[in-house]
């Protein structure tokens, strides 16, 4: 984010108790690489919560191994069956709040979301007193993998424009899956009560941020393709993502009246 230098970014990160929630399904190759990078960030107050849906490739057991050798900085939430990205995040975010996080980060395990953006995202969240800092592909300075063919770019930007249009969202990257949440704001948007099972979880929470009158800030990121493992995107997930904005438009979800708008940290 413009105007935030490395020193300020580092100190904002070091001041906050950060839990990074990482959902995994068959991410054996990618997870150790990500965890190593996360634990190398310049703060000892950051921990990682892996949410594994009983991956057939043994990612859950591997995560347990990582937990054993990282002095309590990695923990694992094991779930019995694959229920979708949205359900995994809902469970993981709820657990992160119980763990006493004051910033909850959500990111994919496959290396698509750059760890180097975490410091500026937490700095932007803190400096702007925002509810959420979005790692954004669609603001100046951000982008998608240079190797993406034109039709994939069109699909990604088209899906984003569709969602923004149906729901009237002003955030430039409404389908982003890389975000840093202020814990109090995350409580207000209630991830455990979402309708979405799959990737539309991202859109649903973006919509709840607006419905609850909270503010978001966007930090440019470069999204890169996974180098290991395979995508979990299925036809069912895509159909849910297509229909969900219309369901959300009609939804009656409102923040609880007792919910307090977050103030400066
Ligand atoms: N626990 C859990 N994690 C999931 C599930 N579905 C996807 N994930 C994880 O969510 C993250 C995003 O999934 P991806 O398959 O990378 O989806 P994508 O980024 O849209 O697809 P690619 O661009 O092909 O990588 C990864 O860390 C997955 O392992 C699920 O049902 N349960
Ligand atoms: Mg991915």
């Amino acid at each position: 984010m413009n105007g935030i230098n490395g020193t300020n970014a580092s100190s904002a990160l070091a001041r906050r108790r950060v839990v990074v929630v990482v959902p995994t399904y068959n991410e054996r190759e990618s997870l150790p690489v990500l965890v190593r990078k996360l634990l190398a960030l310049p703060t000892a107050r950051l921990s990682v919560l892996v949410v594994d849906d009983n991956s057939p490739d043994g990612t859950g057991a591997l995560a347990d191994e990582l937990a054993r050798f990282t002095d309590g900085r990695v923990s694992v939430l094991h779930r019995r069956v694959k229920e979708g990205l949205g359900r995994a995040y809902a469970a993981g975010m709820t657990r992160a709040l119980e763990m006493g996080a004051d910033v909850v980060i959500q990111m994919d395990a496959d290396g698509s979301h750059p760890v180097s953006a975490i410091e500026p995202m937490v700095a932007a969240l803190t400096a702007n007193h925002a509810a959420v800092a979005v790692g954004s592909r669609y603001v100046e300075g951000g982008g998608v993998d240079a190797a993406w063919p034109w039709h994939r770019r069109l699909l990604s930007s088209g899906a984003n424009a569709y969602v923004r249009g149906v729901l009237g969202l002003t955030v430039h990257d409404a389908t982003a899956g890389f975000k840093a949440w202020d814990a109090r704001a995350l409580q207000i948007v209630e991830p455990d009560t979402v309708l979405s099972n799959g990737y539309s979880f991202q859109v649903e929470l973006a919509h709840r941020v607006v419905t609850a009158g909270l503010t978001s800030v966007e930090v440019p990121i470069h999204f890169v393709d996974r180098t290991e493992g395979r995508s979990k995107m299925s036809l069912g997930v895509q159909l849910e993502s297509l229909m969900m904005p219309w369901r959300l438009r009609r939804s009656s979800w409102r923040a609880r009246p007792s919910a307090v708008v977050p103030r400066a940290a």
Side-chain angles (χ1 to χ4, degrees), residues 4-261:
I4 292 174
N5 66 37
T7 311
N8 288 341
S10 303
S11 57
L13 180 66
R15 280 202 310 274
R16 315 292 298 264
R17 188 175 149 75
V18 178
V19 176
V20 184
V21 179
V22 183
T24 57
Y25 193 75
N26 289 346
E27 300 289 0
R28 243 199 109 72
E29 292 86 9
S30 304
L31 183 66
V33 179
L34 177 69
V35 167
R36 184 173 45 75
K37 288 184 186 168
L38 287 171
L39 297 188
L41 284 170
T43 170
R45 303 192 76 203
L46 178 145
S47 61
V48 182
L49 173 63
V50 178
V51 186
D52 187 69
D53 282 7
N54 203 7
S55 295
D57 76 344
T59 302
L62 177 76
D64 285 335
E65 283 295 297
L66 292 171
R68 220 192 322 269
F69 295 108
T70 47
D71 229 6
R73 292 189 66 194
V74 174
S75 52
V76 191
L77 176 58
H78 292 281
R79 290 155 50 79
R80 272 208 302 274
V81 287
K82 176 167 166 41
E83 287 186 315
L85 175 77
R87 295 290 156 224
Y89 263 132
M93 288 171 160
T94 303
R95 173 68 62 88
L97 292 171
E98 288 164 4
M99 288 163 69
D102 51 44
V103 174
V104 177
I105 292 179
Q106 53 167 109
M107 71 189 299
D108 292 355
D110 58 7
S112 287
H113 297 147
V115 171
S116 59
I118 287 180
E119 285 191 42
M121 283 165 68
V122 174
L125 181 76
T126 307
N128 292 283
H129 307 148
V132 60
V134 179
S136 183
R137 298 161 293 182
Y138 297 115
V139 288
E140 202 183 329
V144 295
D145 198 304
W148 275 16
W150 66 268
H151 50 87
R152 191 151 174 214
R153 284 171 191 270
L154 190 67
L155 193 67
S156 173
S157 58
N160 195 42
Y162 169 74
V163 162
R164 295 178 68 212
V166 174
L167 290 171
L169 299 176
T170 55
V171 65
H172 295 86
D173 195 342
T175 55
F178 187 21
K179 293 174 185 165
W181 291 90
D182 179 282
R184 292 161 296 184
L186 191 57
Q187 264 159 347
I188 292 170
V189 298
E190 302 176 324
D192 52 331
T193 66
V194 293
L195 304 170
S196 304
N197 295 318
Y199 294 64
S200 55
F201 173 83
Q202 318 294 10
V203 173
E204 188 162 0
L205 284 201
H207 183 236
R208 285 189 176 191
V209 165
V210 175
T211 307
L214 300 172
T215 54
S216 53
V217 57
E218 292 183 84
V219 175
I221 64 148
H222 270 277
F223 183 97
V224 291
D225 259 342
R226 61 162 68 242
T227 52
E228 309 288 346
R230 293 174 52 183
S231 174
K232 281 90 210 172
M233 184 69 83
S234 64
L235 183 63
V237 163
Q238 289 176 42
L239 285 176
E240 185 191 46
S241 298
L242 197 65
M243 298 315 299
M244 188 56 71
W246 299 100
R247 279 184 77 186
L248 295 177
R249 233 166 96 134
R250 293 192 308 267
S251 102
S252 57
W253 184 87
R254 295 286 175 273
R256 277 174 287 128
S258 58
V260 179
V261 174

